[in-house]
Amino acid sequence: NVVSDPNSPTGYSMYSVPVTPDGVVVENLDVNSVLNVYDLSGNKIISRTAASSSVALPLSKKGIYLIQVVYNQESLVAKIVL
């Protein structure tokens, strides 16, 4: 999966989100980006700050999740189906 935002005010943001058996990995991140994962009820289930250009998010249950990437006051949300 590739998540992109061509309307980003700071340029074209694109993140690769491959699904693995243990969850997902969000790639092409800026260091210090904040990643929040929500279930469809709106509950935040994971929050991580990127220390490198990729972050593994352990999502073991099948379902639909919303992944929010926040950096420099910009926010991009992607729906991921496991």
Side-chain angles (χ1 to χ4, degrees):
N1 295 330
V2 175
V3 178
S4 62
D5 181 9
N7 299 316
S8 170
T10 61
Y12 195 86
S13 299
M14 182 179 294
Y15 306 100
S16 174
V17 187
V19 176
T20 69
D22 298 322
V24 298
V25 178
V26 182
E27 299 173 333
N28 303 327
L29 293 166
D30 291 306
V31 173
N32 294 323
S33 294
V34 176
L35 287 89
N36 298 308
V37 179
Y38 299 89
D39 63 18
L40 285 184
S41 298
N43 300 310
K44 186 187 296 186
I45 55 174
I46 298 173
S47 184
R48 300 269 194 280
T49 300
S52 67
S53 64
S54 67
V55 173
L57 300 171
L59 299 170
S60 58
K61 292 184 181 178
K62 291 186 185 229
I64 301 172
Y65 299 93
L66 300 175
I67 299 177
Q68 176 188 41
V69 179
V70 181
Y71 184 73
N72 281 344
Q73 300 179 348
E74 285 186 56
S75 177
L76 180 65
V77 178
K79 180 173 69 171
I80 301 295
V81 179
L82 297 181

